[in-house]
Amino acid sequence: MDNLYDPRFGDADVAACLSEEVRLQSMLDVEAALAESQAALDLIPATAAAVIRACAQEILYAPEEIARDAIRDGNLAIPLVRQLTREVAARDGDAARYVHWGATSQDIIDTGLVLQLDAAVPLIVDRLGLAAAAAADLARRHIDVVMSGRTWLQQATPITFGLKAAGWLEALARARHRLASAWSDARVVQFGGATGTLATMAPHGEAVADALAARLGLRRPGMPWHTHRDRLVHVAATLGIAAGSCGKIARDVALLAQTEIAEAHEAPAGSRPSPEPQSAGRGGGSSTMPHKRNPVSASVAIAASVRAPSLVATMLQAMPQEHERGLGTWQAEWQTLPDLVMCCAGGVRATAEMLRDLEIDPARMRANVDATGGLVMAEAVSMALAHRIGKPAAHDLIESACRRAATEQRTLQDVLLADAHVTAQLTPDEIARALTPEHYLGSARTIVQRVLDRYDQRLLERYSPRA
Amino acid sequence: MDNLYDPRFGDADVAACLSEEVRLQSMLDVEAALAESQAALDLIPATAAAVIRACAQEILYAPEEIARDAIRDGNLAIPLVRQLTREVAARDGDAARYVHWGATSQDIIDTGLVLQLDAAVPLIVDRLGLAAAAAADLARRHIDVVMSGRTWLQQATPITFGLKAAGWLEALARARHRLASAWSDARVVQFGGATGTLATMAPHGEAVADALAARLGLRRPGMPWHTHRDRLVHVAATLGIAAGSCGKIARDVALLAQTEIAEAHEAPAGSRPSPEPQSAGRGGGSSTMPHKRNPVSASVAIAASVRAPSLVATMLQAMPQEHERGLGTWQAEWQTLPDLVMCCAGGVRATAEMLRDLEIDPARMRANVDATGGLVMAEAVSMALAHRIGKPAAHDLIESACRRAATEQRTLQDVLLADAHVTAQLTPDEIARALTPEHYLGSARTIVQRVLDRYDQRLLERYSPRA
Amino acid sequence: MDNLYDPRFGDADVAACLSEEVRLQSMLDVEAALAESQAALDLIPATAAAVIRACAQEILYAPEEIARDAIRDGNLAIPLVRQLTREVAARDGDAARYVHWGATSQDIIDTGLVLQLDAAVPLIVDRLGLAAAAAADLARRHIDVVMSGRTWLQQATPITFGLKAAGWLEALARARHRLASAWSDARVVQFGGATGTLATMAPHGEAVADALAARLGLRRPGMPWHTHRDRLVHVAATLGIAAGSCGKIARDVALLAQTEIAEAHEAPAGSRPSPEPQSAGRGGGSSTMPHKRNPVSASVAIAASVRAPSLVATMLQAMPQEHERGLGTWQAEWQTLPDLVMCCAGGVRATAEMLRDLEIDPARMRANVDATGGLVMAEAVSMALAHRIGKPAAHDLIESACRRAATEQRTLQDVLLADAHVTAQLTPDEIARALTPEHYLGSARTIVQRVLDRYDQRLLERYSPRA
Amino acid sequence: MDNLYDPRFGDADVAACLSEEVRLQSMLDVEAALAESQAALDLIPATAAAVIRACAQEILYAPEEIARDAIRDGNLAIPLVRQLTREVAARDGDAARYVHWGATSQDIIDTGLVLQLDAAVPLIVDRLGLAAAAAADLARRHIDVVMSGRTWLQQATPITFGLKAAGWLEALARARHRLASAWSDARVVQFGGATGTLATMAPHGEAVADALAARLGLRRPGMPWHTHRDRLVHVAATLGIAAGSCGKIARDVALLAQTEIAEAHEAPAGSRPSPEPQSAGRGGGSSTMPHKRNPVSASVAIAASVRAPSLVATMLQAMPQEHERGLGTWQAEWQTLPDLVMCCAGGVRATAEMLRDLEIDPARMRANVDATGGLVMAEAVSMALAHRIGKPAAHDLIESACRRAATEQRTLQDVLLADAHVTAQLTPDEIARALTPEHYLGSARTIVQRVLDRYDQRLLERYSPRA
């Protein structure tokens, strides 16, 4: 039975690229392309290449046998090549000579992995684009919605929800660009033979390597990279960073969705018609508590941000691989990198859906700003006073006014109007104006507009969330 | 298709405890035991409990539906309970009222996990016992085999292979004890209802909790632990430490198995009759290099030691779980803990097999000691001299003699016999004696014997590797 | 200049145990105790031991020279022993022969570290005791204070603050016990000479090792553990688990302290007379926002819980140490373990202070329970109904009532009283009773009392927070 | 006393950029530049800016007071600004009004950090250049030196040392490019005020931000990034990847330096005249074993590669920062990022020195190839045979020949010449040729030359290691 958690915490499309079936098939695709490349260079008979290709595509392999033999052989390629050779031999004894010619197991395993990732990573890049477009949409629609900025989980000074969403947008757009760029560097063929010299095909090794890369649509690197894993690790790191930014956004949403704050909510499950179950909203119910509306998508994104750092660390930790083939270090990558890709894909997808379906409550946002009786405007009044009496004196004056307001359960305005030190500097109108959140938003609108201008159009063209 | 890597890097028996089928069944077992506990206390009809038990054992559930709904619901328990309730209702409409009575999803998921681990962890404890017994066997058989001790990967002073194996034995025995002890603390039922008050069953909550724990053979904790995960994390940490000790042993073996050192080898695949494929030796061949005998078991144990630290870190990282139920933090455990158990189980099993089948070459060990022309005995001569002229002077004298021996490609003995400063203090016989590794083993035998006396008998009784 | 962050994020007393000065002095203490042990066994002259002891205690060493030479030598012990030998030689040329006799650098470095930890770890054990006692005090004082239990950061069902604090207490008490137990296993002397055979002192190596352990007040292990680091790693893991539990508690407090929730607060700085600055409360102000009261202690504990997992992972990752001395792996521990101890000490201390000074607002807790218009009591009514019509039907009925209450901004009581399906089953009084949080606390009081009975008295005797 | 380990494991120049003194001064530089920017825009008096600048540069601050107050205040900026304001007020009471105008603590702390890194990171980029140039030099000088390629730590097929060094070169050059590129993205000013709106300076906030960035020589980002840390985390990740590649190279060197392999050695300490202690070679001696030449630089690089992954993980883990200011998450970065920079700087520097001074023993490399009696050439013969009888049959034939050679202690040539199946296909000359390592190097020379052509000239111009 497949892992039941994958669908929920992952992304079904990405999972499909990373399945065991596709893993084996990708390795077979490499073997077939290798034979074809060699045939095109007249190194092996064209008929042999044709039989190898046919067997690589048509034969049902025995995964149990491969798994069992891999225990002894130490990797999947050895038993897989053994089965392929057996099949080829059954059709054309001569062709069997040319299976896996010049390659080492790691060439097949690594290049197969690159093929799998070349399907999976662009999907995640696109999901990041969708998430960014959804954030852009939120920023545009709510550009002037006033809410509390919060530091240390305390109300601080007012911001707009547009500003918060613009921050999400920028982080997602950077994550998208960074992942795409790292993957572009990493989609290189692995082909070097046992120790990277391509000796078995001399003097044609270089030509075969070029042809193989071209046939698979991959780039050819400067040299084989069996024990230099930095390109893959960089991809892993950019995935981890994407998961981290999604975790930040999801944590914001989860905090806004708290019962007592209630400024944003995930759309409840089923609130949106969708052909896919994963797209139908995940605001989940409880098995026992009928009133709950749980931030399920946020939990998926946060879980990914908790898991990804360690999976990235394993990839980094496995880098010091011995000589021309790692001993236990390469092997440590085998489960880790697919797990990381799945985990980050799940976090990114959940974030994209969460943002697409996010319900904002501007009235509640405004009410929460008011709930402290003006305390959240303390800095604004302090700054207004500071223009007259300097920052330190203003800070002290307002700090004590805030304390009085809190202790005596009065609004800050009441306290200030009753304070001769304050009224000596500010008129009641000035005080009222200083206490109005809408007047204390600084550059928020300018910033949001600039960010939208930078990203919005390009993203919306490709990833319109409201099509 | 199941993950092809599991069988190789894991342990089939442990994997069987951690499968998705068993995960669902364990949760159903908890639901059935809960109903029976409530029936035994006359809180629900005995007939209802019987129907729930029957459905929990006989029904084929639809895992695809569970997986799909779990996306929306946020965990596996909600759709599973929904299916169970539907089945129970189909047989006995009244009984359906009592399904999942008083429990929250996390009660079922956590207690189900504890049941799974209660099958899996003792297997790993036993594997650690087997590995320790194999190390004890090696230490006993090779107690007096002289080899180079190595520091900084340089030959240092002579030791015995018995001493090295005794170090492995002690570490494995400690790992076994530590894991068993941590698990004994952690095998506690989770049962608290939505927020840990057992309110839905008041005033019978405590009695139900006691009965449920007794029925499942688990301990009852002081209170529910929905967001206090330290017991599980401690188990995770002791698993990680076991993997680390296995990684140390495997690294030693891999270094000894290097072509140029060749003091130890994994038994080649198939060298040992075994009913199980995993027990048939894994010294693997190469897909292209016919002369290779790869340390495959060592690579599995090293890979586990590279992966485990990060998985432990995720468990630690997920500890700050919010209020009465974690948001993304608990969820981060779901794949991590089973992965960690599998990963460590694989490393431990590979170590046990590696040690059981390890081939030692005492002649090569002795030859390698001699290969430096006596340089490895430098400390011994230095110490013999130090008794006469003090440690600093002796160290300087011998350091320069070593440099000469290395530069001029002479044996240390030649150089020393030609050095008047040395011969003024030591006779040729004294020099020869000081240069004999067998005379410079200090307490090695005493130490090994003490360690064997402490562990050997108990371990051998339970885990005899040579039965 | 010392690291400015240490005092804030650490614990000054623990920092004092881990300073560079103490590190060097601890290593010198080991050298002195070694010479005295050898003198007591008549292996070296008593006068030599006396001079070595005197120099080890009286001489001002040149740390810059040690640091500079350590670059070349690869560890601190080599240049330190060189300086010690020089000093001893200046007083007594013969005594210089006996400095560092029979030891290897790692014996001195590791045993010195164990001495440092033997001062530091018990302080952390005590801080955990203080924190647990403070939690016990909170649990006792607020045993019946009703508040919202929260799952997914949503109000769920009512609990008591006593129950929450009892959970904190149990976790802290377990952390304390676990750390004390792991340290008890790990406080063993390291003494084996170059490769663990004690060869230079044969046949007296064992006797010297016993005497050295006794003199330092440490236990003697079964054998040297130069490359078997599991005991130290277990200590590291239990520190990490303690930091994780503190992080959980601090996150709870930070969430309760949010402006909109306001159920608990850290005491403001200076609110409590204290001879130590660290004990004066840390509820910090803002540089620009006069009304803020930041949860500073919580931030320290959370930061520790974010940092500790990775530092534990490094310790695990460094376990596979090569042969008889690690190459880069042992060295990776050198900064990591002290950092981890400091980091966890800081988190534990901040937690102890935070709990000791925590201000609880029971009225606000009760008001927040009411703020949802009864929604938080949904499960209670659902359960009351379930006794009549079964859980599934009750759940559906109440779920739709909740939705109506939320949409129409009515209280749940209003909606229920207007719902014929409900009033057919429950009288208005029964509905009112079901909606009263105080009637839906289940076993909360029993559980808290049991936990207090188990831990309170022992803890309070030693760690009374209200003395 | 400063941390004694820093100089050894770090890099003195980088450490100087990251000291506590520089940390405080960088924050003061930001305050001064802020005041000057505001004065240039006529927002504050030019005289006030001048006094602030003067105090920021001339005053000796009291670090103990700052450290003590930071405990209560929660960060370093609050007490530092307090001291600065006090100093400014003492000189010009009016100017004190304008200290820290419009900034929040995090603006000062983050921008100060960016200034520190802007000094430190380019040094590491340069060290990577030096290391790459040293690898290029090795590759060029030893382009045709034959040695064993090794997989699974077993001799596999021959390579050249040039090929190995070219792999190191490419990895180092990629690490250099990646770090430089990530840093170029991350060197952005942080300036947003309390919650990122720049409200206190409205409508001039944007202009001040532009001016501040220009004055500090930093880029201005799209918006404040208080809780979006991805740029810094990307720098951390590229540092970690650099450390990983250095760890791979150092592990190769340490394995080659093993007593039994002895193909490469670190230059012994003092073997090279150098004005700096760190540049004098670190091949260290032992405190007790006079013959040892320890790979000290390799140990530093390996230790960095063991520590860095976890420090990167902490940075990733700290990414989900709450709302407009992190609570414990931002704080977790404070020690981690400088530690990571130091750790990686040390690993990179040690690698650069190790490569610059590496001593290669081509004769020993060739002898080790021969030591297996031709077994390392097994693939070559197998391939020669495969051209005649197909790969599977050839593999089997040679595998059994290898087994015979190993068992009977004969050379592979002897066994092959005596095997009729082989001699039926290959003449003695063909066998001899197939067994000659120099004839089985494939594309090694072509690859090395291509890599050198790509990197060598540019690197050598800037970083010539042999000037």
Side-chain angles (χ1 to χ4, degrees), chain A residues 150-152 154-156 251 257-260 286 288-292 294 317 372 375 378-379 395 399 402, chain C residues 150-152 154-156 251 257-260 286 288-292 294 317 372 375 378-379 395 399:
Chain A
R150 293 174 177 98
T151 61
W152 297 84
Q154 304 292 305
Q155 289 195 9
R251 186 168 280 190
Q258 291 173 100
T259 306
E260 295 85 355
S286 155
T288 58
M289 292 167 284
H291 65 292
K292 296 279 296 297
N294 294 328
Q317 194 175 335
T372 59
L375 287 184
E379 187 195 67
H395 189 275
E399 189 168 30
C402 286
Chain C
R150 294 175 176 97
T151 62
W152 297 83
Q154 303 292 304
Q155 290 195 8
R251 187 168 277 189
Q258 290 174 100
T259 305
E260 295 85 357
S286 154
T288 58
M289 291 167 285
H291 65 292
K292 296 278 295 298
N294 294 328
Q317 191 175 337
T372 60
L375 287 183
E379 187 195 67
H395 189 275
E399 189 168 31

Side-chain angles (χ1 to χ4, degrees), chain A residues 252-408:
Chain A
D252 279 1
V253 168
L255 290 169
L256 294 177
Q258 291 173 100
T259 306
E260 295 85 355
I261 293 185
E263 299 182 1
H265 291 285
E266 293 192 24
S271 64
R272 207 184 137 91
S274 166
E276 306 173 74
Q278 274 182 309
S279 301
R282 311 198 211 187
S286 155
S287 68
T288 58
M289 292 167 284
H291 65 292
K292 296 279 296 297
R293 211 164 107 195
N294 294 328
V296 175
S297 292
S299 80
V300 173
I302 292 172
S305 75
V306 173
R307 290 184 63 212
S310 294
L311 296 168
V312 173
T314 300
M315 292 297 293
L316 284 163
Q317 194 175 335
M319 285 187 72
Q321 302 198 356
E322 293 83 357
H323 290 317
E324 281 62 61
R325 186 90 70 261
L327 175 60
T329 37
W330 175 41
Q331 291 81 354
E333 296 176 2
W334 293 349
Q335 286 189 280
T336 304
L337 189 54
D339 272 5
L340 176 64
V341 174
M342 277 301 298
C343 161
C344 293
V348 168
R349 176 160 196 157
T351 302
E353 292 169 6
M354 177 182 75
L355 292 180
R356 182 196 62 195
D357 299 337
L358 198 67
E359 299 177 353
I360 299 300
D361 188 337
R364 183 66 185 246
M365 287 177 170
R366 193 60 178 79
N368 282 340
V369 172
D370 289 340
T372 59
L375 287 184
V376 73
M377 296 309 299
E379 187 195 67
V381 196
S382 181
M383 283 295 153
L385 258 183
H387 284 286
R388 313 283 159 88
I389 60 171
K391 208 160 56 67
H395 189 275
D396 290 348
L397 207 57
I398 300 302
E399 189 168 30
S400 101
C402 286
R403 208 169 297 124
R404 243 172 307 141
T407 314
E408 302 168 14

Side-chain angles (χ1 to χ4, degrees), chain A residues 307, chain B residues 310-312 314-315 332-341:
Chain A
R307 290 184 63 212
Chain B
S310 293
L311 296 168
V312 173
T314 300
M315 293 296 294
E333 297 177 2
W334 291 351
Q335 286 189 280
T336 303
L337 189 54
D339 272 4
L340 176 64
V341 173

Side-chain angles (χ1 to χ4, degrees), chain B residues 175-201:
Chain B
R176 179 178 172 274
H177 174 73
R178 208 179 274 125
L179 175 59
S181 163
W183 179 243
S184 165
D185 287 345
R187 47 188 308 288
V188 288
V189 76
Q190 176 73 284
F191 190 61
T195 56
T197 60
L198 297 163
T200 56
M201 289 162 302

Side-chain angles (χ1 to χ4, degrees), chain D residues 156-362:
Chain D
T157 63
I159 61 170
T160 59
F161 182 70
L163 188 69
K164 191 183 278 273
W168 298 346
L169 157 59
E170 267 214 322
L172 290 164
R174 283 195 299 269
R176 180 176 169 275
H177 175 72
R178 208 180 274 125
L179 175 59
S181 162
W183 180 243
S184 165
D185 288 345
R187 47 190 308 288
V188 289
V189 76
Q190 175 74 284
F191 189 62
T195 57
T197 60
L198 297 163
T200 54
M201 289 163 302
H204 305 292
E206 292 274 296
V208 173
D210 283 335
L212 177 63
R215 197 165 285 267
L216 293 172
L218 301 176
R219 294 196 304 105
R220 174 135 190 251
M223 56 187 295
W225 46 280
H226 297 109
T227 49
H228 287 286
R229 317 296 291 177
D230 53 287
R231 293 183 191 91
L232 282 185
V233 180
H234 191 219
V235 173
T238 59
L239 283 167
I241 295 172
S245 285
C246 289
K248 185 273 182 285
I249 296 167
R251 187 168 277 189
D252 279 0
V253 168
L255 290 168
L256 294 177
Q258 289 174 102
T259 306
E260 296 85 357
I261 293 184
E263 299 183 1
H265 291 284
E266 293 192 23
S271 64
R272 206 185 138 91
S274 167
E276 305 175 73
Q278 275 183 311
S279 300
R282 314 198 209 188
S286 154
S287 69
T288 58
M289 292 167 284
H291 65 291
K292 297 279 297 297
R293 211 164 107 195
N294 295 328
V296 175
S297 291
S299 80
V300 172
I302 292 172
S305 75
V306 172
R307 292 184 61 211
S310 293
L311 296 168
V312 173
T314 300
M315 292 297 294
L316 283 162
Q317 191 174 338
M319 285 187 72
Q321 302 198 356
E322 292 83 358
H323 290 318
E324 282 62 61
R325 186 89 72 261
L327 176 60
T329 36
W330 175 41
Q331 292 80 354
E333 297 176 3
W334 292 350
Q335 286 189 280
T336 303
L337 189 53
D339 272 5
L340 176 64
V341 174
M342 275 303 297
C343 161
C344 294
V348 169
R349 175 160 196 158
T351 302
E353 291 169 6
M354 178 182 74
L355 292 179
R356 183 196 61 194
D357 299 337
L358 198 66
E359 299 177 355
I360 299 300
D361 188 338

Side-chain angles (χ1 to χ4, degrees), chain B residues 151 154-155 257 259-260 292, chain D residues 151 154-155 257 259-260 292:
Chain B
T151 61
Q154 305 291 304
Q155 289 196 6
T259 306
E260 296 84 356
K292 297 278 298 296
Chain D
T151 62
Q154 304 290 304
Q155 289 195 7
T259 306
E260 296 85 357
K292 297 279 297 297

